[in-house]
Amino acid sequence: MTLLTVRRDGEIAVVTLDNPPVNAISEAVRKGLYDLAERLDADPEVRAVVLICAGRTFLAGADVREFGKPPVEPHLPDVVDRIEAAETPWVAAIHGAALGGGFEIAMGCRFRVAVDSARVGLPEVTLGVIPGASGTVRTPRLAGIEAAVDLVTSGKPLPAAKAQKAGLIDAVVSGDLEREAVAFARAALDADMPLPVSKRPLAPMPEDFWQAARKAASKAGHQAPLRALDSLRFATEHGFADAMAHERETFLDLRGSDEAAALRHVFFAERAAPKPAALKGIEPRPFKTVGVIGGGTMGAGIAGACREAGMEILLIERDAEAVSRGLANVGKIFDGAVKRGRLTEEGRAERMAGVRGSTDYAELSQADLVIEAVFEEIGVKRAVFAELGRVCRADAVLATNTSYLDPCAIAEGLPNPSRFIGLHFFSPAHIMKLLEIVPTPDTAPDVLATGFALGRALNKMPVQAGICEGFIGNRILKRYRAEAEALVMQGVAISEIDAAMRDYGFRMGPFEAQDLGGLDIAFLQREGARAAGQEVPETLGDILVRAGRKGQKTGGGWYDYAEGARTPLPSAAVTELLVERISGTRDLPRAEIAERLVGAMAEEGQAILDERIAQAPQDIDLVEVHGYGFPRWKGGPMFATGAS
Ligand code: 3H9
């Protein structure tokens, strides 16, 4: 494979970069492009250059794997400058995605053309850095300051049509990209040549614009979007060279930051998780027709997610009334998508046409996959699988969406148990990314592979978990809550613990989150275990639930709430109820509180690893980031405590 090839189409040189899988800009790519710009400038017969990429995408950005090492020349900003300074105009021909350094190279080109399925963007802040090769300096000169602020501080790429509207690309083409780009270059040679992007003028913005942008950027919770904004502002108030120096300094500073390291860790963990090495070469079973048992919040969410991914759904409920309620629940999911402008009315009708309801299990005889999402009670679930064992094809995959029960116990007596697996979705299932995949000792490898393939098809983050109470996520949650209660018993204020975890980066602390979700769910589960003869010590939460304090829905839980309000107010009633379990008062710095709670999560994570419930520490981090609101820029409990 040759990294860079050059072919001539008359007076146009077509440069093709081929650096699989995503044409990341490695040291070799930087050097190759720089040298090529020199070489093509020296060729009097070349009047324009088209830069195009082989494979699935245009240049996807700097090679993130190099970020942990010292920078090596030629640096990317110099490559971009060199391309911009070329004697002959360069045309970037974009398919797939032009991201980060890839889009910065495209901005060094005199023109940008793209196919309509392409996206362009500057996602650097999602990796804890800012664009480091002129993204904060050239973008405002190319598309104006407002568009640049949006693109850089959000990190969200724009589809080609919107990018063209914003002035980020010159043309959207259909048909063969290379041919169209060559034709574009040829036509451009006969027209007025635009100024190189770095030479374009820029008018500063008023103070209130920057203040509003600052407020918006601070919502991300970590420093990169704010530093990106500072860099954009600097670039609009200083000359090009000074702005480039400022941007580079900020980029290098952030590149070495803990937040950037954490975000890189999550980035690579996310890419590894959906395709476990152990399943390489194992063909998943099909899942075109999917049965969902139960049309409550969870079942409807699962049905909605599967339908959105193109599967045909059969929703099974107990009686006709429950069927129509279930279908209405699925309908509400698509209504939400219409309301947010993500789906048209016709699209909604098409989605719903692929969701049928029935009370008759026999209709599942042709289903490829059936997911059970009924009440979390072993007897109810067993009855469902007894029925499924009778009606489903012997090779159909049968899955339980249990969150606490032992999947082996659910599957007991099922004929052909190798097709059985746990698929633990998180509520709301059409939104939450995490999917815990729980094989039993009987689960066949291709059934496990089917779980992962389903996760990928649903655009979820699939993580394999072994069997224990709560699997990975809920087991750690239990420990986290227990540690938080331990602090309360030592005299730390409930509101301080919540504030500490918010300061750490969670949207909510452990107690306010319980008030929102309801304290009774975990309480009932503990009561169930007690009724089954297990030794489960009385928690502080139990005391509150027994006193009728189940959270916001009962007007109070760990906090009081004013009528109809959601603001948590410290509760004298709670202090009174817990007085015998709390010893004095204790002031603990918030950072220390967070350290203790995250430390407890990591300790439980380590136990989970030792018991082989999780395959790798980064899987635990993904579970926490995607299912439990752990701040991404802290990398997850294992990373944050140095355990991954
Ligand atoms: C930057 O550019 C900084 C500059 O401003 C300044 C520099 C001075 N590097 O996602 P996929 C790997 S910051 C290294 O499954 P898809 C990935 O790990 C960068 N490796 O593919 C995986 O490896 P493996 C700004 C990378 O088709 C394989 O490629 N750019 C990089 O679903 C396939 O990845 C970004 O943040 C990389 N930059 O999606 C873009 N990117 O096969 C990040 C990917 O071993 N990338 N890999 O598991 C993406 O968003 C997606 O990969 C993309 C393709 C949309 C391009």
Side-chain angles (χ1 to χ4, degrees), residues 11 140 200 202 238 242 280 322 344 387 435 464 474 575:
E11 73 282 37
R200 298 187 193 177
L202 197 57
H238 296 80
D242 286 348
K280 205 166 176 199
T344 60
E387 199 63 42
L435 176 65
Q464 185 172 333
N474 281 340
T575 312

Side-chain angles (χ1 to χ4, degrees), residues 20-22 24-25 30 56-67 75-77 97 99-102 104 119 121-124 126-127 129-135 248 251 255 267-268 271-272 275:
V22 295
I25 311 164
R30 294 197 303 273
R56 62 186 191 255
T57 181
F58 192 73
L59 297 96
D63 190 333
V64 179
R65 286 170 217 274
E66 290 180 0
F67 278 15
H75 302 307
L76 191 54
L99 298 177
E104 289 168 314
R119 295 175 300 140
L122 294 161
E124 283 86 343
T126 64
L127 289 165
V129 293
I130 69 163
S134 82
R248 180 84 184 155
F251 169 77
R255 185 181 180 269
F267 175 86
F268 286 117
R271 268 141 190 96
K275 38 183 188 194

